Amino acid sequence: DFKDKKLLITAGPTREPLDPVRFITNYSSGKMGYALAEKAVQRGAKVTLISGPTNLTPPLGLSKYIAVDTAQEMFQAVMEHFTYADVIIKSAAVADFSPKDIEQNKIKKQDFNMRIELKKNPDILQELGKRKTKQILVGFAAETTEVLENAQNKLKRKNLDFIVMNNLTEEGAGFAVDSNIVKILHKDGRIEELSKMLKKDLANEILDRIYSYML
Ligand code: PMT
């Protein structure tokens, strides 16, 4: 049902270097994003996968695979490719902040309280929300407090068609596991509560929702 549709999917974490041997990152494994890419390919889509560092093998049959490290690199890759896409799914866990200065040499152990100054990274999804023309835009929300309210704000602020809200407080949901538990919040106010399922099955559920927006 996705034959010849062009999907741009982001997956995995970003890595924000501190010095030549250290970085700031998060627990994203890429499983959710790679499952979406795999299922979209199986349903006939032409998929570009932009991925931060993961231990996963990219699914067979991708149109393009772009490996990035930092949020800034992901921003550039997404902005280069999004205009050709019919659908963009942002399942990557992009670091919101990165070290202001990257040290040329390994930072030495110091006997005073070390402080790392951080700068804000670009919000890729928010920028897509501003620039989008006819693309279907899907985001994810990873929250630990005021979950529903924050996800609803992101849906509006980032101009999304729908947002997939992980329930991070429950076992078998969110980062680095094979399953997920989510609610899907649509721009028309509908909220769907999905039961716990494998990320591969959830990928198909998400693609089903996207398909209904394409009709
Ligand atoms: O990779 P896995 O181990 O399988 O885990 C899956 C997952 C938990 C990472 C995934 O399901 C998920 O929730 N991905 C989004 C995580 C996240 O960054 O959520 P957020 O609430 O901080 O961001 C909201 C949305 O804005 C996301 O779509 C994110 O890609 C996007 N964003 C955020 C910050 C930023 N600077 N740029 C962005 O585009």
Side-chain angles (χ1 to χ4, degrees):
D1 52 355
F2 276 81
K3 190 162 172 1
D4 295 335
K5 292 289 173 199
K6 296 189 184 71
L7 267 67
L8 176 62
I9 300 174
T10 70
T14 65
R15 256 181 202 177
E16 311 301 329
L18 200 54
D19 71 11
V21 299
R22 302 182 181 96
F23 50 82
I24 296 173
T25 190
N26 58 63
Y27 290 113
S28 172
S29 64
K31 285 179 182 178
M32 190 66 247
Y34 279 55
L36 281 158
E38 183 187 318
K39 295 299 172 191
V41 167
Q42 284 171 8
R43 290 169 70 155
K46 291 189 161 64
V47 178
T48 296
L49 177 62
I50 300 177
S51 176
T54 75
N55 291 322
L56 305 177
T57 306
L60 288 175
L62 293 175
S63 295
K64 202 165 198 175
Y65 176 76
I66 303 169
V68 298
D69 274 330
T70 64
Q72 189 58 45
E73 286 170 13
M74 186 172 280
F75 180 86
Q76 270 154 12
V78 169
M79 293 310 152
E80 269 167 39
H81 291 87
F82 94 94
T83 41
Y84 309 107
D86 301 301
V87 178
I88 304 150
I89 314 175
K90 283 237 61 238
S91 49
V94 184
D96 287 318
F97 295 94
S98 54
K100 191 159 171 273
D101 301 303
I102 305 170
E103 297 297 330
Q104 291 283 311
N105 297 307
K106 186 181 168 191
I107 300 167
K108 290 289 180 199
K109 242 186 281 175
Q110 291 159 339
D111 55 1
F112 56 86
N113 286 335
M114 201 179 125
R115 283 172 187 273
I116 300 164
E117 213 179 324
L118 299 173
K119 64 176 190 320
K120 217 163 179 237
N121 285 334
D123 191 316
I124 305 168
L125 192 52
Q126 190 156 328
E127 191 57 36
L128 286 174
K130 284 185 199 151
R131 295 192 194 183
K132 83 164 180 181
T133 49
K134 55 182 188 341
Q135 293 93 344
I136 295 169
L137 195 53
V138 177
F140 276 75
E143 297 283 348
T144 55
T145 56
E146 288 144 29
V147 180
L148 193 61
E149 198 186 336
N150 285 330
Q152 270 161 339
N153 285 340
K154 280 180 185 168
L155 173 71
K156 284 206 186 82
R157 194 174 72 241
K158 303 194 185 200
N159 193 20
L160 309 178
D161 290 285
F162 66 85
I163 193 160
V164 182
M165 188 187 92
N166 309 277
N167 188 341
L168 296 182
T169 58
E170 281 187 53
E171 212 170 295
F175 293 93
V177 287
D178 289 332
S179 55
N180 210 348
I181 308 168
V182 305
K183 284 189 181 140
I184 297 182
L185 282 54
H186 295 268
K187 62 182 176 187
D188 63 6
R190 270 180 306 130
I191 299 179
E192 297 182 272
E193 192 164 350
L194 274 59
S195 54
K196 181 175 173 179
M197 65 182 83
L198 289 173
K199 284 179 176 167
K200 294 201 176 198
D201 294 329
L202 175 59
N204 268 328
E205 293 288 338
I206 292 169
L207 291 169
D208 289 346
R209 285 6 178 231
I210 292 170
Y211 184 77
S212 70
Y213 276 82
M214 295 190 318
L215 294 175

